[in-house]
């Protein structure tokens, strides 16, 4: 009876937002493999292919970019290298499919690890990926559901916007309202996904049930959800500013060291530039993984408090 009263009082008072942050920070700082999971679950990169642009002459004799010539050269190159293009496209598709699987597994594994550490103090990267594999289809289905809803919303906005195109004042007003609505819906479904992902992983709910549970929790705990979202935004801003300051400091240090290397041993400058690029990229990835894992841990602990 006393336990039930304590739970009711806890719900009325709401979660300890600062206490949750301290606990999340402690978990993430102690279990640093969570940074790796955070990076995999939130990070991505896009490879790009560059083709030489065609350069022609205009009537004045100055060099100008001929887009028709450029496109014809690209098409010609593709026709002459169909096998190479096919292999490249297949490789990209396979890479992104593998990255998708690993990213979703890392997301589920990160949620599981924080939950386990907060309760028993035990977890590992192996257990995280094993758990993530078992919850892969749940999170994939949830992501597809939310993606389809967002796509449907965007299509509705496009259709309405196309209908108002001929009335310019109404069209401009609609565009402004549509952008604001899109931002609001994106934030709302972002929060819904955070809750629903934890229903799917920690409560073992199916994708649709998890989605409905996430929506229901938002409406049942509106105040707490809003404050939790503000807290995660604050975390992102504060650590983002810290990251920016750190990056600027690192750039200054590397530039000064680079000048010293250039004057003392010019032959080593190429090696130093390559090493600096590696250090800069590694530092940025570590920081991104830390911020991502900290934010996820905060949502997990908060979900356990109010869910």
């Amino acid at each position: 009876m006393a336990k039930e009263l304590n739970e009711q009082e806890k719900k009325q008072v709401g979660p300890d937002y600062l206490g949750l942050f301290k606990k999340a920070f402690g978990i993430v700082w102690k279990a640093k493999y969570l940074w790796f999971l955070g990076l995999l679950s939130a990070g991505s990169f896009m490879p790009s292919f560059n083709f030489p642009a065609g350069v022609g002459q205009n009537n004045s004799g100055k060099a100008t970019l001929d887009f028709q010539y450029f496109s014809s050269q690209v098409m010609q190159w593709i026709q002459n290298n169909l096998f190479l293009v096919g292999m490249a496209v297949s490789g990209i598709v396979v890479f992104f499919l593998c990255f998708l699987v690993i990213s979703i597994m890392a997301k589920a594994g990160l949620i599981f690890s924080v939950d386990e550490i907060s309760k028993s103090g035990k977890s590992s990267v192996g257990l995280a990926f094993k758990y993530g594999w078992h919850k892969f289809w749940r999170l994939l289905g949830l992501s597809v559901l939310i993606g389809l809803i967002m796509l449907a919303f965007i299509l509705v906005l496009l259709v309405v916007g196309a209908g108002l195109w001929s009335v310019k004042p109404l069209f401009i007003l609609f565009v402004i309202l549509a952008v604001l609505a899109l931002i609001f819906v994106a934030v709302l479904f972002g929060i819904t996904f955070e809750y629903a992902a934890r229903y799917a992983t920690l409560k073992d709910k199916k994708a649709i049930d998890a989605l409905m549970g996430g929506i229901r929790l938002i409406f049942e705990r509106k105040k707490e959800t809003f404050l939790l979202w503000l807290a995660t935004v604050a975390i992102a801003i504060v650590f983002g500013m810290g990251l920016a300051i750190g990056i600027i400091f690192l750039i200054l240090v590397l530039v000064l060291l680079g000048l010293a290397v250039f004057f003392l041993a010019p032959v080593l400058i190429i090696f130093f530039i390559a090493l600096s690029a590696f250090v800069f990229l590694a530092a940025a990835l570590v920081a991104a993984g830390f911020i991502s894992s900290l934010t996820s841990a905060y949502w997990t602990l908060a979900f356990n408090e109010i869910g």
Side-chain angles (χ1 to χ4, degrees):
M1 184 69 179
K3 186 177 180 181
E4 291 179 359
L5 289 175
N6 289 334
E7 290 293 329
Q8 290 177 358
E9 291 176 1
K10 199 174 186 181
K11 284 188 176 183
Q12 291 175 355
V13 173
D16 178 5
Y17 302 100
L18 182 59
L20 287 175
F21 170 75
K22 291 179 179 178
K23 188 174 182 180
F25 185 88
I27 290 174
V28 170
W29 188 257
K30 183 178 180 180
K32 292 183 173 57
Y33 75 88
L34 297 177
W35 303 10
F36 176 64
L37 295 178
L39 181 63
L40 289 179
S41 65
S44 64
F45 62 94
M46 294 288 289
S48 60
F49 299 92
N50 298 314
F51 296 92
V55 177
Q57 297 287 327
N58 61 13
N59 293 333
S60 62
K62 295 180 180 180
T64 182
L65 184 63
D66 189 338
F67 288 101
Q68 186 175 1
Y69 174 77
F70 168 73
S71 60
S72 64
Q73 288 294 101
V74 171
M75 293 304 299
Q76 185 66 38
W77 185 88
I78 291 175
Q79 291 174 5
N80 294 336
N81 300 272
L82 285 177
F83 178 76
L84 181 61
V85 172
M87 290 293 292
V89 171
S90 300
I92 293 171
V93 171
V94 171
F95 170 80
F96 276 105
L97 287 176
C98 292
F99 183 81
L100 174 66
V101 173
I102 293 173
S103 179
I104 293 176
M105 289 171 59
K107 176 71 175 179
L110 179 57
I111 294 172
F112 164 78
S113 296
V114 172
D115 183 63
E116 281 293 301
I117 293 172
S118 67
K119 293 176 179 177
S120 65
K122 297 179 180 178
S123 187
S124 69
V125 66
L127 286 175
F129 274 106
K130 182 179 179 181
Y131 185 86
W133 171 247
H134 289 300
K135 301 299 180 181
F136 168 76
W137 292 109
R138 295 277 175 92
L139 281 191
L140 178 62
L142 179 62
S143 301
V144 170
L145 278 175
I146 293 179
L148 289 175
I149 295 172
M150 285 295 299
L151 179 61
F153 181 73
I154 293 172
L155 290 176
V156 170
L157 292 179
L158 290 175
V159 170
V160 176
L164 295 175
W165 172 255
S166 58
V167 187
K168 289 299 186 289
L170 286 178
F171 176 77
I172 294 173
L173 177 61
F174 174 77
V175 169
I176 295 173
L177 294 176
V179 171
L180 294 176
L182 190 59
I183 293 173
F184 174 78
V185 171
V187 171
L188 180 63
F189 275 100
I191 297 172
T192 301
F193 178 78
E194 295 295 344
Y195 282 156
R198 284 152 184 83
Y199 272 116
T201 53
L202 303 180
K203 304 294 186 180
D204 199 30
K205 299 289 185 180
K206 294 181 180 179
I208 296 178
D209 295 332
L211 178 60
M212 298 306 297
I215 295 173
R216 184 173 60 253
L217 185 57
I218 288 176
F219 284 97
E220 289 179 353
R221 308 299 296 270
K222 292 185 287 293
K223 176 185 174 183
E224 291 84 353
T225 297
F226 177 69
L227 292 175
L228 287 169
W229 176 74
L230 282 182
T232 57
V233 171
I235 290 172
I237 291 175
V238 171
F239 282 92
M241 291 175 61
L243 176 61
I245 294 171
I247 287 175
I248 293 173
F249 178 76
L250 180 60
I251 290 175
L252 290 175
V253 171
L254 292 176
V255 168
L256 292 175
L257 289 176
L259 290 174
V261 170
F262 179 75
F263 286 112
L264 296 176
V267 71
L268 297 178
I269 192 63
I270 300 299
F271 171 76
F272 178 80
I273 290 174
L275 180 62
S276 298
F278 173 78
V279 170
F280 181 82
L281 179 61
L285 291 177
V286 169
F290 171 75
I291 295 173
S292 176
S293 60
L294 177 61
T295 305
S296 178
Y298 191 79
W299 276 113
T300 299
L301 296 177
F303 176 80
N304 287 339
E305 284 281 328
I306 69 175

